[in-house]
PDB file of all heavy atoms in Angstrom:
ATOM      1  N   PHE A 492     191.652   3.279 -13.607  1.00 89.00           N
ATOM      2  CA  PHE A 492     190.331   2.919 -13.095  1.00 89.00           C
ATOM      3  C   PHE A 492     189.298   2.579 -14.157  1.00 89.00           C
ATOM      4  O   PHE A 492     188.226   2.068 -13.828  1.00 89.00           O
ATOM      5  CB  PHE A 492     189.775   4.074 -12.244  1.00 89.00           C
ATOM      6  CG  PHE A 492     190.636   4.443 -11.072  1.00 89.00           C
ATOM      7  CD1 PHE A 492     191.447   5.571 -11.110  1.00 89.00           C
ATOM      8  CD2 PHE A 492     190.632   3.671  -9.915  1.00 89.00           C
ATOM      9  CE1 PHE A 492     192.230   5.927 -10.018  1.00 89.00           C
ATOM     10  CE2 PHE A 492     191.414   4.014  -8.818  1.00 89.00           C
ATOM     11  CZ  PHE A 492     192.214   5.141  -8.870  1.00 89.00           C
ATOM     12  N   GLU A 493     189.570   2.859 -15.438  1.00 86.00           N
ATOM     13  CA  GLU A 493     188.504   2.777 -16.434  1.00 86.00           C
ATOM     14  C   GLU A 493     187.996   1.351 -16.662  1.00 86.00           C
ATOM     15  O   GLU A 493     186.853   1.168 -17.109  1.00 86.00           O
ATOM     16  CB  GLU A 493     188.965   3.398 -17.751  1.00 86.00           C
ATOM     17  CG  GLU A 493     190.130   2.709 -18.424  1.00 86.00           C
ATOM     18  CD  GLU A 493     190.549   3.438 -19.693  1.00 86.00           C
ATOM     19  OE1 GLU A 493     189.879   4.427 -20.043  1.00 86.00           O
ATOM     20  OE2 GLU A 493     191.539   3.024 -20.311  1.00 86.00           O
ATOM     21  N   ASN A 494     188.803   0.338 -16.387  1.00 81.00           N
ATOM     22  CA  ASN A 494     188.359  -1.049 -16.533  1.00 81.00           C
ATOM     23  C   ASN A 494     188.174  -1.744 -15.192  1.00 81.00           C
ATOM     24  O   ASN A 494     188.117  -2.975 -15.116  1.00 81.00           O
ATOM     25  CB  ASN A 494     189.369  -1.831 -17.380  1.00 81.00           C
ATOM     26  CG  ASN A 494     189.438  -1.321 -18.804  1.00 81.00           C
ATOM     27  OD1 ASN A 494     188.405  -1.022 -19.415  1.00 81.00           O
ATOM     28  ND2 ASN A 494     190.641  -1.193 -19.327  1.00 81.00           N
ATOM     29  N   GLY A 495     188.085  -0.938 -14.130  1.00 82.00           N
ATOM     30  CA  GLY A 495     187.966  -1.511 -12.795  1.00 82.00           C
ATOM     31  C   GLY A 495     189.340  -1.698 -12.163  1.00 82.00           C
ATOM     32  O   GLY A 495     190.355  -1.790 -12.852  1.00 82.00           O
ATOM     33  N   TRP A 496     189.360  -1.752 -10.835  1.00 85.00           N
ATOM     34  CA  TRP A 496     190.631  -1.903 -10.121  1.00 85.00           C
ATOM     35  C   TRP A 496     190.868  -3.365  -9.811  1.00 85.00           C
ATOM     36  O   TRP A 496     190.046  -4.019  -9.169  1.00 85.00           O
ATOM     37  CB  TRP A 496     190.609  -1.087  -8.823  1.00 85.00           C
ATOM     38  CG  TRP A 496     191.900  -1.191  -8.075  1.00 85.00           C
ATOM     39  CD1 TRP A 496     192.172  -1.984  -7.001  1.00 85.00           C
ATOM     40  CD2 TRP A 496     193.098  -0.501  -8.382  1.00 85.00           C
ATOM     41  NE1 TRP A 496     193.482  -1.829  -6.613  1.00 85.00           N
ATOM     42  CE2 TRP A 496     194.072  -0.912  -7.446  1.00 85.00           C
ATOM     43  CE3 TRP A 496     193.463   0.433  -9.357  1.00 85.00           C
ATOM     44  CZ2 TRP A 496     195.379  -0.426  -7.447  1.00 85.00           C
ATOM     45  CZ3 TRP A 496     194.759   0.916  -9.362  1.00 85.00           C
ATOM     46  CH2 TRP A 496     195.695   0.495  -8.421  1.00 85.00           C
ATOM     47  N   GLU A 497     191.996  -3.892 -10.301  1.00 84.00           N
ATOM     48  CA  GLU A 497     192.339  -5.296 -10.077  1.00 84.00           C
ATOM     49  C   GLU A 497     192.927  -5.449  -8.677  1.00 84.00           C
ATOM     50  O   GLU A 497     194.029  -4.998  -8.405  1.00 84.00           O
ATOM     51  CB  GLU A 497     193.333  -5.780 -11.130  1.00 84.00           C
ATOM     52  CG  GLU A 497     192.823  -5.732 -12.561  1.00 84.00           C
ATOM     53  CD  GLU A 497     191.680  -6.711 -12.792  1.00 84.00           C
ATOM     54  OE1 GLU A 497     191.633  -7.735 -12.084  1.00 84.00           O
ATOM     55  OE2 GLU A 497     190.830  -6.437 -13.664  1.00 84.00           O
ATOM     56  N   TYR A 498     192.147  -6.120  -7.810  1.00 83.00           N
ATOM     57  CA  TYR A 498     192.616  -6.364  -6.441  1.00 83.00           C
ATOM     58  C   TYR A 498     192.671  -7.864  -6.198  1.00 83.00           C
ATOM     59  O   TYR A 498     191.636  -8.543  -6.218  1.00 83.00           O
ATOM     60  CB  TYR A 498     191.697  -5.684  -5.422  1.00 83.00           C
ATOM     61  CG  TYR A 498     192.048  -6.018  -3.989  1.00 83.00           C
ATOM     62  CD1 TYR A 498     193.227  -5.546  -3.425  1.00 83.00           C
ATOM     63  CD2 TYR A 498     191.212  -6.808  -3.220  1.00 83.00           C
ATOM     64  CE1 TYR A 498     193.565  -5.855  -2.126  1.00 83.00           C
ATOM     65  CE2 TYR A 498     191.539  -7.120  -1.909  1.00 83.00           C
ATOM     66  CZ  TYR A 498     192.723  -6.641  -1.361  1.00 83.00           C
ATOM     67  OH  TYR A 498     193.053  -6.958  -0.069  1.00 83.00           O
ATOM     68  N   GLU A 499     193.907  -8.384  -6.035  1.00 80.00           N
ATOM     69  CA  GLU A 499     194.133  -9.812  -5.894  1.00 80.00           C
ATOM     70  C   GLU A 499     193.504 -10.534  -7.093  1.00 80.00           C
ATOM     71  O   GLU A 499     193.894 -10.326  -8.212  1.00 80.00           O
ATOM     72  CB  GLU A 499     193.632 -10.304  -4.535  1.00 80.00           C
ATOM     73  CG  GLU A 499     194.424  -9.703  -3.376  1.00 80.00           C
ATOM     74  CD  GLU A 499     194.079 -10.290  -2.028  1.00 80.00           C
ATOM     75  OE1 GLU A 499     193.140 -11.105  -1.919  1.00 80.00           O
ATOM     76  OE2 GLU A 499     194.789  -9.944  -1.051  1.00 80.00           O
ATOM     77  N   LYS A 500     192.464 -11.347  -6.895  1.00 80.00           N
ATOM     78  CA  LYS A 500     191.904 -12.119  -8.014  1.00 80.00           C
ATOM     79  C   LYS A 500     190.542 -11.612  -8.478  1.00 80.00           C
ATOM     80  O   LYS A 500     189.858 -12.275  -9.261  1.00 80.00           O
ATOM     81  CB  LYS A 500     191.790 -13.593  -7.611  1.00 80.00           C
ATOM     82  CG  LYS A 500     193.132 -14.252  -7.344  1.00 80.00           C
ATOM     83  CD  LYS A 500     192.942 -15.727  -6.987  1.00 80.00           C
ATOM     84  CE  LYS A 500     194.300 -16.396  -6.735  1.00 80.00           C
ATOM     85  NZ  LYS A 500     194.147 -17.832  -6.387  1.00 80.00           N
ATOM     86  N   ILE A 501     190.181 -10.432  -8.005  1.00 85.00           N
ATOM     87  CA  ILE A 501     188.867  -9.901  -8.382  1.00 85.00           C
ATOM     88  C   ILE A 501     189.031  -8.512  -8.995  1.00 85.00           C
ATOM     89  O   ILE A 501     190.054  -7.857  -8.820  1.00 85.00           O
ATOM     90  CB  ILE A 501     187.908  -9.831  -7.177  1.00 85.00           C
ATOM     91  CG1 ILE A 501     188.483  -8.873  -6.113  1.00 85.00           C
ATOM     92  CG2 ILE A 501     187.648 -11.198  -6.597  1.00 85.00           C
ATOM     93  CD1 ILE A 501     187.529  -8.641  -4.953  1.00 85.00           C
ATOM     94  N   THR A 502     188.000  -8.084  -9.703  1.00 86.00           N
ATOM     95  CA  THR A 502     187.953  -6.738 -10.267  1.00 86.00           C
ATOM     96  C   THR A 502     186.920  -5.929  -9.492  1.00 86.00           C
ATOM     97  O   THR A 502     185.745  -6.311  -9.428  1.00 86.00           O
ATOM     98  CB  THR A 502     187.584  -6.772 -11.754  1.00 86.00           C
ATOM     99  OG1 THR A 502     188.550  -7.539 -12.466  1.00 86.00           O
ATOM    100  CG2 THR A 502     187.548  -5.356 -12.318  1.00 86.00           C
ATOM    101  N   VAL A 503     187.385  -4.847  -8.901  1.00 87.00           N
ATOM    102  CA  VAL A 503     186.490  -3.971  -8.142  1.00 87.00           C
ATOM    103  C   VAL A 503     186.159  -2.773  -9.025  1.00 87.00           C
ATOM    104  O   VAL A 503     187.049  -2.033  -9.440  1.00 87.00           O
ATOM    105  CB  VAL A 503     187.148  -3.503  -6.817  1.00 87.00           C
ATOM    106  CG1 VAL A 503     186.180  -2.611  -6.037  1.00 87.00           C
ATOM    107  CG2 VAL A 503     187.571  -4.696  -5.984  1.00 87.00           C
TER     108      VAL A 503
END
Side-chain angles (χ1 to χ4, degrees):
F492 301 103
E493 63 182 357
N494 295 318
W496 181 260
E497 298 294 332
Y498 174 69
E499 295 187 354
K500 296 182 179 180
I501 62 174
T502 300
V503 181

